Amino acid sequence: MNNPLISIILPTYNVEKYIARALESCINQTFKDIEIIVVNDCGSDKSIDIAKEYASKDDRIKIIHNEQNLKLLRARYEGVKVATSPYIMFLDPDDYLELNACEECVKILNKNNKIDLIFFDAFVLSNNSKIERKLNFQEKSYIKKDFLKKLLKTKNLFWTMWGKVIKKELYLKAFSLIPLEKNTKINMAEDVLLYYPLINISNAIFYLNKNLYNYQISNSSITGTLTSLNIKTNIQEQDNVTNLLKKIQHNYNFNLALLFLINYFLLIEKYVLSGKKNSLYFKINIFFKKNQFKFYRFLKM
């Protein structure tokens, strides 16, 4: 039996209200040659019990168990390590996929097996609203330099790990470039720690102009919310992320303009977290003026 083409990885922590919907969206994909990896990150509810029920009926579902709560950055990594597919896709279990998500991405991969990374669009769900989150680029394959220019000009980074198909070997390489200490666990802005090296080491990036992911804004989100997590811890984690990004850039001479824009948005998030809204725009504008030459110099290349 051949290995599946795509592994969908669900880092799972206290999402019993939503996980059935997420798993249904995986097992009912129109493209069937997938594996579904549920990473038990030591929650306290019945999420894993529900996942076990589904696994008993579908042998494409695997459940792996962390010995302790590792938080999102490492929980996702544990799932990738056991994946048997050449490509991976992340699904936070309070979200769900459109049923043709894998099929649409496989069409692209079948046409060009040199694609490292596929970006696709999403719906953002909040209360009764459903809003499109779109890049609005031309749908095609880009070399890294051209894709970066478009991202930077639009200032729309889409740095989440969801909403993408990623070549597994590239993800593992990107993770290895993060100078993490052994016990570092990160939930806040963890996506961008992988996004930054991942973009820089990708050669061919495809933008697929289709809404294939449904992102649910909710208080019980796997990624947490500003009200459900300790604000001080969030800010400490974000500061840690910022320092790690600087080290990555210093170690590998990755794109400085992209790092600048990432730091710009992280700074906004930090002051929103801290509640210092009165000083928010003043401090962000100072940051932008001090660093803008790095940004615009790249755009003129």
Side-chain angles (χ1 to χ4, degrees):
M1 181 177 175
N2 294 329
N3 287 340
L5 188 60
I6 295 178
S7 297
I8 305 174
I9 297 168
L10 294 81
T12 301
Y13 181 82
N14 290 350
V15 283
E16 65 179 355
K17 181 178 177 182
Y18 300 101
I19 192 169
R21 181 180 67 177
L23 288 171
E24 290 279 353
S25 78
C26 294
I27 63 178
N28 291 312
Q29 286 292 304
T30 54
F31 180 79
K32 302 299 183 183
D33 189 15
I34 62 174
E35 71 175 350
I36 303 154
I37 300 174
V38 177
V39 183
N40 175 12
D41 203 27
C42 304
S44 57
D45 68 359
K46 297 179 180 179
S47 298
I48 299 304
D49 293 334
I50 296 169
K52 286 178 180 177
E53 289 182 23
Y54 277 91
S56 68
K57 301 171 185 176
D58 193 323
D59 60 8
R60 295 176 299 169
I61 300 175
K62 303 175 183 176
I63 302 175
I64 65 170
H65 303 272
N66 294 337
E67 293 183 359
Q68 58 180 302
N69 176 248
L70 297 180
K71 295 190 176 181
L72 270 172
L73 180 68
R74 291 193 183 274
R76 287 183 178 134
Y77 176 62
E78 292 301 312
V80 175
K81 285 196 298 183
V82 302
T84 61
S85 310
Y87 293 93
I88 56 173
M89 180 188 291
F90 293 107
L91 173 62
D92 289 346
D94 49 356
D95 303 333
Y96 61 99
L97 297 169
E98 293 293 313
L99 297 185
N100 63 334
C102 291
E103 180 181 1
E104 293 295 335
C105 293
V106 167
K107 288 178 185 177
I108 304 304
L109 297 174
N110 285 340
K111 291 178 183 177
N112 186 349
N113 61 10
K114 294 184 178 180
I115 296 294
D116 294 319
L117 184 60
I118 298 175
F119 277 64
F120 52 83
D121 297 323
F123 291 114
V124 177
L125 312 176
S126 179
N127 297 323
N128 295 320
S129 68
K130 189 173 186 177
I131 303 169
E132 288 186 306
R133 190 198 78 158
K134 299 184 76 67
L135 272 177
N136 284 321
F137 295 177
Q138 182 181 352
E139 181 175 290
K140 66 173 187 175
S141 178
Y142 296 84
I143 61 172
K144 173 179 62 183
K145 182 178 177 181
D146 291 342
F147 191 78
L148 266 173
K149 279 188 175 182
K150 280 195 162 290
L151 282 178
L152 293 169
K153 283 180 179 178
T154 60
K155 299 182 179 64
N156 196 351
L157 298 182
F158 281 34
W159 71 38
T160 57
M161 282 296 100
W162 52 262
K164 296 169 181 63
V165 168
I166 308 166
K167 189 174 285 186
K168 177 187 172 180
E169 64 182 66
L170 214 66
Y171 174 96
L172 292 174
K173 182 177 180 182
F175 194 94
S176 73
L177 299 181
I178 305 171
L180 285 173
E181 295 182 6
K182 185 177 180 180
N183 296 319
T184 301
K185 302 175 183 179
I186 300 175
N187 256 346
M188 191 71 189
E190 81 293 335
D191 299 66
V192 78
L193 264 182
L194 273 158
Y195 175 92
Y196 183 57
L198 187 64
I199 290 287
N200 278 281
I201 64 176
S202 295
N203 293 312
I205 302 171
F206 194 95
Y207 168 57
L208 178 58
N209 185 16
K210 287 184 170 63
N211 300 301
L212 302 178
Y213 193 98
N214 293 274
Y215 173 68
Q216 179 75 56
I217 297 177
S218 63
N219 288 337
S220 57
S221 170
I222 183 69
T223 54
T225 64
L226 302 184
T227 56
S228 65
L229 291 176
N230 182 275
I231 291 176
K232 184 177 179 181
T233 300
N234 280 349
I235 292 174
Q236 288 174 342
E237 286 189 2
Q238 188 165 312
D239 286 342
N240 192 16
V241 166
T242 300
N243 291 331
L244 287 169
L245 287 168
K246 289 178 182 176
K247 290 179 182 178
I248 293 171
Q249 198 284 328
H250 179 265
N251 290 343
Y252 304 103
N253 196 31
F254 286 157
N255 187 274
L256 202 55
L258 179 60
L259 180 61
F260 161 69
L261 200 56
I262 287 170
N263 283 334
Y264 175 79
F265 288 120
L266 285 175
L267 190 62
I268 291 175
E269 287 188 4
K270 180 177 179 180
Y271 281 100
V272 170
L273 275 171
S274 66
K276 297 178 180 178
K277 295 181 180 179
N278 292 335
S279 61
L280 171 63
Y281 294 106
F282 173 76
K283 294 189 177 183
I284 290 174
N285 286 333
I286 292 294
F287 173 82
F288 189 85
K289 288 177 181 178
K290 286 174 63 177
N291 294 278
Q292 62 183 331
F293 77 94
K294 301 173 186 175
F295 183 64
Y296 289 113
R297 182 176 62 187
F298 177 83
L299 292 182
K300 293 176 182 178
M301 289 175 60

